[in-house]
Amino acid sequence: RGGDGGNSGQRGVPEAAAPCPPARRCARGSAGLAALVVALLPSPLSPVDWASPDPLPAAEGPHLPNDALASARHVGGSGAAPILAPESFAFGPDGTGYAGLADGRVVELAPDGSFRRTLVFVGGLVAAGGGPGTGLETPEARGLSSDCTNASLGGRLAFDAPRERSCGRPLGVRYVSPGGLLLVDAYHGPISVDLEARTARLHLSSPDAPLEALGGNACPEASLPGKFWNDLDVAADGTVYVSETSYKWTRSENRQEVLDGAPRGRLLRMTPGGNLTTIVCGLHFPNGVQLSSDGEKLLVAELTRMRITEVDLPSLAREAASFAAALSDCGEDGPQPPGVRVLSSSLPGLPDNIRADGEGRILIGFGTKNLRPFSLLWWAMHPGRGLLRVLIGKLVPMSFVEKLIPAYGLVGVMAEGGTMVATWHDATGRTAWISQAAVNPATGEVWLGSHSNPYLAILPAAPDVR
């Protein structure tokens, strides 16, 4: 066997295997190197599996898609004082609206939704020591407010935690008679606004201070400082109930908290004197809160479990020891006290704020749908799929994660007993990412808020969907 310089003259000795072509060797080496790099990359996420996921609801019955949101008009998308991402709002008796915006402003809106005036700039209020004031008294504060508005318009604020904190991000808003507002800022906690004096003040001297926990023997997580204050409601006796979404991630990092699906949320109680206490822990992205019409139940939306949880307030008063004992374990398998139960599960979307409609029903703003045949977040929360979320945390920018979620407009109408009565849809995504739906008591129109839309959406009336 000659002529090729191989095994000539060496009978019985097998030829050596042909070497891998250089291109294939390069591909294998690159793939191995890429796998090693990915393995070594840190992931910001610590996913928690949902041990027994609720069934994915079907798009039928009260969940049947429709075009009920198609008639919504969009208000305030341009101008010198744009209505940027009105995540939450409240109404005065005359239909005047009050909303917290993405650039740190709290604004007053006419009953038709048009802009009237800026009441408070949270960033300026914080810089001035917490008030009382408007946060706009100095040229420096007004300059910061302008910078925050421009950054929000340019899409540079929502994913920048230090900068958003410096601007403030007012979320849940409630009208408090006579003539006041109580709201909660995602970074700075509860804020009171005197509408007559047009001044505001922070309730917390330091939002980074540890919290008190009911009973005094709670696990450390129950007392960690709040990182992501979200919504609130006010009882007849002046007690305030506040949802605190995460002790790990801030509002600008909410995608991380969603992907983790962890029980890092808490429910807090604030007395009229301003004392804050953790009363429930181990919640999964607690978002909107709403007192029942009789004031005896508190409903809490758990976004990453697509459910509404109910807290029986008389039980809290009678069985404070049981609530305190439950705070000893804020983990995934931690117990909840007897007065806490799931009221409504398998919701058709990811629940945000929840508000009473004045007719014995609860309106639920859904960030997006959670319906058959497929819901990515619901699927990813199943046991054994945490590695997928870890890889997303390593490889996918959080600003891109929301692009994986369908832009779908959805509002739920739920009876106080927990039964879903109807849903309002916009499958086109024209009016999507709905954070809150509430009925204006003076006009009967339904205002639709959003954590990201640069406008306020308004329906001419509550849709009659049967």
Side-chain angles (χ1 to χ4, degrees), residues 98 105-109 114-119 195 198:
Y98 305 94
R105 290 179 294 138
V106 180
V107 299
E108 180 180 293
L109 306 174
S114 59
F115 175 83
R116 276 185 178 166
R117 59 175 176 160
T118 295
L119 296 171
L195 293 173
R198 201 188 162 200

Side-chain angles (χ1 to χ4, degrees), residues 51-436:
S52 300
D54 296 320
L56 190 63
E60 60 187 28
H63 304 150
L64 190 67
N66 52 56
D67 62 354
L69 300 179
S71 60
R73 72 181 190 274
H74 296 172
V75 179
S78 60
I83 302 175
L84 298 170
E87 199 272 351
S88 180
F89 43 83
F91 299 106
D94 63 352
T96 296
Y98 305 94
L101 305 185
D103 58 3
R105 290 179 294 138
V106 180
V107 299
E108 180 180 293
L109 306 174
D112 65 359
S114 59
F115 175 83
R116 276 185 178 166
R117 59 175 176 160
T118 295
L119 296 171
V120 177
F121 171 51
V122 174
L125 188 69
V126 172
T134 65
L136 290 165
E137 287 87 355
T138 67
E140 292 79 10
R142 293 190 290 273
L144 176 60
S145 180
S146 179
D147 289 345
C148 292
T149 298
N150 290 332
S152 183
L153 283 168
R156 302 185 302 275
L157 193 58
F159 297 96
D160 186 339
R163 194 171 188 182
E164 188 176 62
R165 180 183 176 117
S166 72
C167 297
R169 194 2 173 158
L171 296 178
V173 183
R174 297 286 182 168
Y175 181 84
V176 182
S177 296
L181 301 177
L182 189 61
L183 59 102
V184 64
D185 183 87
Y187 297 88
H188 305 289
I191 300 175
S192 293
V193 180
D194 184 324
L195 293 173
E196 184 175 351
R198 201 188 162 200
T199 59
R201 66 178 181 87
L202 300 176
H203 281 262
L204 303 182
S205 56
S206 172
D208 300 319
L211 299 171
E212 294 183 12
L214 190 68
N217 294 311
C219 65
E221 291 82 0
S223 300
L224 289 173
K227 277 280 193 83
F228 184 176
W229 307 81
N230 201 315
D231 195 22
L232 77 176
D233 202 1
V234 187
D237 65 357
T239 301
V240 181
Y241 297 95
V242 186
S243 60
E244 200 277 315
T245 297
S246 176
Y247 54 73
K248 180 178 181 180
W249 299 110
T250 66
R251 195 225 67 89
S252 73
E253 299 157 331
N254 67 81
R255 282 83 176 168
Q256 288 93 317
E257 187 60 54
V258 168
L259 287 170
D260 270 349
R264 300 192 187 107
R266 296 167 291 184
L267 181 65
L268 313 176
R269 179 179 62 192
M270 186 172 76
T271 65
N275 183 51
L276 265 168
T277 306
T278 301
I279 56 174
V280 177
C281 67
L283 300 173
H284 297 80
F285 206 110
N287 210 322
V289 295
Q290 174 65 50
L291 285 158
S292 61
S293 55
D294 62 8
E296 296 199 343
K297 313 287 187 185
L298 184 72
L299 309 185
V300 184
E302 289 190 83
L303 183 146
T304 53
R305 289 297 181 263
M306 300 89 168
R307 68 190 181 198
I308 304 295
T309 292
E310 179 188 85
V311 180
D312 183 76
L313 297 178
S315 292
L316 173 60
R318 291 192 310 268
E319 303 176 43
S322 296
F323 277 76
L327 293 175
S328 64
D329 184 354
C330 295
E332 184 69 13
D333 299 318
Q336 290 294 4
V340 177
R341 70 181 182 108
V342 175
L343 176 68
S344 184
S345 59
S346 293
L347 294 178
L350 308 187
D352 202 321
N353 290 336
I354 51 179
R355 294 293 185 267
D357 73 347
E359 298 183 1
R361 301 176 301 183
I362 304 295
L363 300 183
I364 308 172
F366 289 114
T368 189
K369 65 177 180 176
N370 177 57
L371 289 168
R372 294 180 192 170
F374 183 70
S375 167
L376 179 60
L377 184 62
W378 174 85
W379 179 86
M381 291 291 174
H382 280 58
R385 293 171 186 160
L387 178 59
L388 171 65
R389 288 181 276 158
V390 168
L391 290 175
I392 290 174
K394 291 185 176 193
L395 301 174
V396 182
M398 289 296 112
S399 58
F400 185 80
V401 166
E402 198 163 85
K403 299 183 186 301
L404 303 175
I405 306 299
Y408 193 99
L410 186 61
V411 173
V413 184
M414 187 185 76
E416 277 199 357
T419 301
M420 193 64 65
V421 176
T423 48
W424 308 336
H425 297 245
D426 178 6
T428 71
R430 175 180 170 269
T431 304
W433 317 118
I434 296 174
S435 61
Q436 180 175 314

